[in-house]
Amino acid sequence: NAGVTQTPKFQVLKTGQSMTLQCAQDMNHNSMYWYRQDPGMGLRLIYYSASEGTTDKGEVPNGYNVSRLNKREFSLRLESAAPSQTSVYFCASSEGNRRTGELFFGEGSRLTVL
Amino acid sequence: GDSVTQMEGPVTLSEEAFLTINCTYTATGYPSLFWYVQYPGEGLQLLLKATKADDKGSNKGFEATYRKETTSFHLEKGSVQVSDSAVYFCALSVHDMRFGAGTRLTVKP
């Protein structure tokens, strides 16, 4: 019953460093998402993938890249981290497309950029 | 654009008190409406949903009714427990999922 698994759970970076957040789901879902959660702002969509090999920008894509490696895995990369990217990042998946809801979330990855 | 506004927190209640968390929305088209809950240290999980006007979603003693005339989807529970302490997010889905800012609820014994 793993559901959506994210790694790492915590990471501290210096400005300009790069890193990749990994996400995998075992529910055979088609759609996968990356969100960031900031205080007072709820969750904002960074990128979305409807299927392997396809990705779409969300509300806040600048400074990020993604890769949908296969149906299970969807990674988020920060090429040159900035303090504004300090946040909690959530990966999610859904059976249908983004229109129909229910999202299943991972436990989150807390990133601090110094 | 599509958006959700929910009451600011934090909300602190005593055990067995009545809970209301207000949520209103702005949307083009006909959204589905959701309440998600985030317990400490965890990701969000769906609490309840409603897909059309006048539908009532319910789960774990929580209820919310889709009111098109007032564009609202208020969350209610008749008697809260300490275990209900969490952050609650209202959300809508038309073309994609849009979340409110979240309301932190603390229930004291």
Side-chain angles (χ1 to χ4, degrees):
Chain A
N1 276 359
V4 178
T5 304
Q6 294 180 231
T7 56
K9 287 188 168 40
F10 300 94
Q11 184 73 49
V12 178
L13 294 177
K14 295 181 180 178
T15 298
Q17 288 185 320
S18 63
M19 76 158 298
T20 300
L21 299 175
Q22 307 285 354
C23 175
Q25 52 92 8
D26 63 1
M27 295 174 283
N28 202 36
H29 285 168
N30 289 317
S31 296
M32 297 187 73
Y33 313 74
W34 276 106
Y35 285 91
R36 59 178 289 172
Q37 182 183 29
D38 300 295
M41 302 188 73
L43 275 75
R44 293 179 291 169
L45 182 65
I46 304 172
Y47 269 95
Y48 162 70
S49 171
S51 63
E52 181 182 349
T54 67
T55 61
D56 289 310
K57 294 179 180 179
E59 190 179 352
V60 288
N62 291 345
Y64 305 96
N65 288 303
V66 290
S67 295
R68 183 74 182 270
L69 305 170
N70 48 54
K71 191 170 187 179
R72 290 186 65 248
E73 299 173 289
F74 189 37
S75 63
L76 178 72
R77 182 160 179 84
L78 288 70
E79 290 290 353
S80 179
S84 61
Q85 295 178 303
T86 293
S87 187
V88 181
Y89 292 86
F90 287 98
C91 179
S93 68
S94 68
E95 188 174 31
N97 61 27
R98 64 173 90 179
R99 192 181 182 99
T100 56
E102 171 182 2
L103 298 177
F104 293 81
F105 286 85
E107 293 184 349
S109 300
R110 184 175 294 275
L111 173 65
T112 301
V113 183
L114 303 175
Chain B
D2 302 336
S3 65
V4 171
T5 302
Q6 61 182 104
M7 65 185 286
E8 293 186 17
V11 174
T12 302
L13 295 173
S14 297
E15 207 164 23
E16 299 184 1
F18 185 85
L19 169 71
T20 300
I21 300 178
N22 290 337
C23 172
T24 57
Y25 67 89
T26 301
T28 55
Y30 301 96
S32 295
L33 300 174
F34 306 82
W35 278 99
Y36 281 82
V37 59
Q38 183 181 27
Y39 298 105
E42 298 183 10
L44 282 73
Q45 56 186 271
L46 181 67
L47 180 60
L48 54 84
K49 68 179 181 182
T51 57
K52 62 183 188 296
D54 299 326
D55 271 1
K56 177 185 284 188
S58 62
N59 186 24
K60 299 182 181 180
F62 291 89
E63 293 183 340
T65 301
Y66 189 141
R67 301 285 188 199
K68 186 178 178 184
E69 63 275 15
T70 55
T71 62
S72 64
F73 192 55
H74 304 321
L75 182 68
E76 297 182 336
K77 187 175 185 182
S79 177
V80 293
Q81 305 300 312
V82 172
S83 57
D84 294 327
S85 297
V87 181
Y88 293 83
F89 292 90
C90 186
L92 68 80
S93 176
V94 179
H95 304 291
D96 53 25
M97 192 76 74
R98 294 295 176 104
F99 289 87
T103 302
R104 181 176 299 278
L105 170 67
T106 301
V107 180
K108 297 190 172 181

